[in-house]
Amino acid sequence: MSEQITGAQSLVKSLESAGVEVMFGIPGGAILPAYDPIFDSKIRHILVRHEQGAGHAATGYAQVTGKVGVCIATSGPGATNLVTPLADAHMDSVPMVAITGQVPGPAIGTDAFQEADIRGVTMPVTKHNYLVTDPNEIPRAISEAFYIARSGRPGPVLVDIAKDALQKMTGFNYPKRPELRGYRPQIEPNDQAIRDAAALIAQSAKPVFYIGGGVIKANAASDLLKLAELVGAPVVTTLMARGAFPDSHRQHLGMPGMHGTVAAVTALQKSDLLITLGARFDDRVTGKLSTFAVNAKIIHADIDPAEIGKNRYADVPIIGDLGPTIRALIPAVAAEFKKKQPDYSIWWRQMDSLRSTYPLGYNEPEDGSLSPQYVIERIGAITGPDAVYVAGVGQHQMWASQFIKYEKPRTWLNSGGLGTMGYAVPAAMGAKVGAPDTPVWAIDGDGCFQMTNQELVTCSLNNIPIKVAIINNESLGMVRQWQSLFYQGRYSNTDLHSKRIPDFAKLAEAMGCVGLRCESKGDVDKIIKEANAINDAPVVVDFNVHRDAMVWPMVAAGTSNDDIMIARELAPDWDSQEL
Amino acid sequence: MAQHTLSVLVENSPGVLARVAGLFSRRGYNIDSLAVGPTEDPKVSRMTIVLNLEGHALDQVSAQLFKLVNVIGIQEMKDSDTRQRELAFVKIAAERGKLEPLLAGYQAEIVEEKSGTSIVQVVANNKDLVALLKRLESLGIKELVQSGAIAIELGSQTLVEQTALETGLASSDTQSQLEDYQN
């Protein structure tokens, strides 16, 4: 019989065995037994100020490092506060393990104090979850949770542990190799599918690489570069894939979708073959689905078989990890090209024309006030492509995707699928913990910032010197943009008055950060450099920007990508384009 | 819309029914019936799910179901190579003499007759059951209890064996993949 330890000690030993270096959390009654051995563990525990912050921090850490992010909370409200980050991680396929305390086994189901059925609550927003009431089951549950979270299509796994299971004595036996009869992700792609895909690529005249976040998850960016250069076709990277392919690369047309470039959106629309790698035909990319890329055949490579054919029929489905998949495609395509080298010169002439006619751009406000796009563009230009940029959700997120140039994977973090306002500050905190020597800029909105800024206290106290740019247009900007466009400018409840209250610089100072303010174009570079020079404290810069700036181009929700607008009531001049 | 029957092998773990039911509800799939019970393997339960779907949706339903960690295997049960049966009890305000002619030709028996009310037990496939219930309607059905369908594949092979073959459960590279994902 192995040495007897408490369930709580078993939990901490299991987390150590899983390779956990850091976790974000808050103690409380039901999880309290676990916090005693955490006190002695080599695992760094970062005490956050709200469980939502713990969850997004775990996501930020995971997105930057590729490791599993870990958060921990108590039962009831502690656990329910994790629901938003779990749903966020689920939508964006982030490997995460959440540990929650549960009321003691005999009390489960009695509506006990701080009881919530968190396993039931999180079933639809986790990849898998556990309720553990037997201390002997703790190592197995933790081992499986980490394996499930990181393998296949990554995702969040919640392990809910009853308090008495943490208190009881148990042996410790951490299974190195979890046995899961019903979970066997396919890693290697099917050979025939690879050959079929290569043949389709060789036959097509207008192929486009439609690249999704899966390429980053699979650490396949360098493989993609080789394949893309071999094929020579245009590349578009979705919101979740920014950085998977260098923005500076000649073949890159930018981001497709609702706020994508004209060239990227049109490339998909006019293509005869979408080489889809780790993307999921999300409505924000396809626009009205029935009008999306109607002449294109589809190669769809994904590790999740349920993505194949979910929104769009795949002519050639390839199920497997994108690393092996792309590495198998390279020789297969090369063999096809030996028979016949394709000629995409007409296709490129069309795309180059669109790219040069409709570059991303913006107008400076006429009243001399600060342009939000300019601020974001300068942060990216001055800080460079080695830094990590973390956006909230809204206009600033789209501008950060458009106007910062990404060259490397894992340098752009955002909440793509769920669209979680409040993501930026805690996710940037987690990112900085994962990459302590890398500058981390949160590009946040004044609305988003007011949802989760309390984690700046955590940053200040734990030496996590992130930088936060508040793109302060004193409104819920994206909602306001829709009100401008679709609700006759009736600005119902989108005015936040946040140039008056709160005073963000003072708020930052109160939380132990350096607080700065910038109101004019002439000060932008100087203040960004000042912020970049501070490495011993978090910095918050309140950029007071023009409130009527809009995100363009835009494909209005539910309309066709063919109806993309480059400015208000202004469509591209299709007649002048040879398409 | 077409009716399909799926046999789903699941790990006999707590919450698995909620996972399957939750998946169907949040993805908007309509279940006609669902029957769950133990199998020859105490660690495995088997669900028989009858549902109405359009076109390619069956592949999507199967893929989504298979994503559930507790789902071990899924097989569509086609009429041609499976046997399907439902069980029903019908409480009806009629005496044996009136009922018996209507039950002829069905695997149906009167299990109780009391004060002019009879309980009929029927074992039938869905089509026959629907037809019989229609015949009984004329007598006034007081209460109806139906089990949902269960189905088994014809022939000597079992669903467990088939699942193992199709998913390569026994293959050695699965093990090496597992190790790749360990810390």
Side-chain angles (χ1 to χ4, degrees), chain A residues 241-548:
Chain A
R242 306 285 293 118
F245 193 77
D247 274 354
S248 59
H249 198 285
R250 202 194 72 80
Q251 283 170 251
H252 199 173
L253 299 182
M255 180 173 76
M258 180 175 273
H259 294 297
T261 65
V262 173
V265 171
T266 311
L268 295 178
Q269 287 304 90
K270 302 295 178 190
S271 170
D272 66 354
L273 176 67
L274 303 188
I275 307 164
T276 313
L277 304 174
R280 58 184 180 90
F281 296 89
D282 179 74
D283 58 271
R284 284 312 196 246
V285 167
T286 64
K288 191 179 172 191
L289 192 57
S290 60
T291 67
F292 175 69
V294 287
N295 297 316
K297 293 203 164 176
I298 308 290
I299 295 168
H300 193 176
D302 205 289
I303 200 162
D304 180 358
E307 285 305 335
I308 308 292
K310 185 182 78 178
N311 292 336
R312 173 71 182 255
Y313 174 78
D315 298 272
V316 179
I318 309 174
I319 297 164
D321 186 295
L322 281 175
T325 298
I326 296 174
R327 289 195 290 276
L329 277 170
I330 291 169
V333 170
E336 289 286 341
F337 281 14
K338 250 184 208 149
K339 292 183 232 161
K340 178 177 162 281
Q341 188 70 33
D343 178 9
Y344 304 138
S345 55
I346 297 172
W347 182 224
W348 268 116
R349 200 161 69 228
Q350 294 167 348
M351 289 305 113
D352 283 337
S353 167
L354 284 174
R355 174 156 56 183
S356 58
T357 314
Y358 302 107
L360 286 172
Y362 53 90
N363 295 324
E364 295 279 351
E366 283 164 11
D367 62 0
S369 59
L370 198 48
S371 144
Q373 297 98 323
Y374 177 77
V375 170
I376 293 168
E377 192 171 37
R378 292 309 298 161
I379 292 172
I382 292 169
T383 316
D386 291 321
V388 170
Y389 301 91
V390 187
V393 169
Q395 289 183 312
H396 65 278
Q397 173 193 27
M398 292 298 115
W399 289 322
S401 173
Q402 292 175 332
F403 294 108
I404 295 174
K405 296 304 158 202
Y406 301 97
E407 297 292 316
K408 298 169 182 182
R410 303 193 186 281
T411 58
W412 160 245
L413 277 56
N414 82 130
S415 168
L418 194 67
T420 312
M421 286 179 67
Y423 170 91
V425 168
M429 172 172 77
K432 184 69 180 173
V433 170
D437 300 326
T438 304
V440 176
W441 268 101
I443 311 290
D444 216 1
D446 50 308
C448 288
F449 183 77
Q450 292 184 73
M451 292 189 176
T452 49
N453 65 73
Q454 79 284 342
E455 297 313 335
L456 284 168
V457 173
T458 312
C459 289
S460 292
L461 290 171
N462 290 279
N463 187 28
I464 307 169
I466 63 167
K467 303 173 203 313
V468 182
I470 303 173
I471 308 302
N472 183 358
N473 59 4
E474 57 189 331
S475 44
L476 297 166
M478 187 61 95
V479 182
R480 183 182 160 91
Q481 174 168 342
W482 285 42
Q483 288 172 332
S484 299
L485 295 174
F486 311 123
Y487 293 89
Q488 298 82 43
R490 286 164 49 79
Y491 298 118
S492 171
N493 291 282
T494 46
D495 193 341
L496 294 172
H497 306 284
S498 28
K499 284 179 188 168
R500 283 194 300 120
I501 298 175
D503 181 324
F504 286 123
K506 274 191 189 160
L507 178 61
E509 298 280 353
M511 291 189 285
C513 309
V514 175
L516 303 170
R517 181 174 286 118
C518 179
E519 289 165 336
S520 68
K521 190 173 177 179
D523 291 337
V524 169
D525 281 18
K526 180 174 69 79
I527 291 179
I528 293 169
K529 285 174 187 162
E530 188 181 342
N532 278 344
I534 299 169
N535 287 312
D536 55 357
V539 187
V540 176
V541 188
D542 179 6
F543 289 99
N544 276 214
V545 300
H546 189 69
R547 70 183 331 192
D548 289 325

Side-chain angles (χ1 to χ4, degrees), chain A residues 35-52:
Chain A
Y35 269 81
D36 195 62
I38 283 172
F39 208 30
D40 299 325
S41 172
K42 63 180 181 187
I43 298 174
R44 180 182 180 194
H45 179 279
I46 294 172
L47 175 62
V48 298
R49 291 298 180 268
H50 188 291
E51 290 87 354
Q52 186 189 355

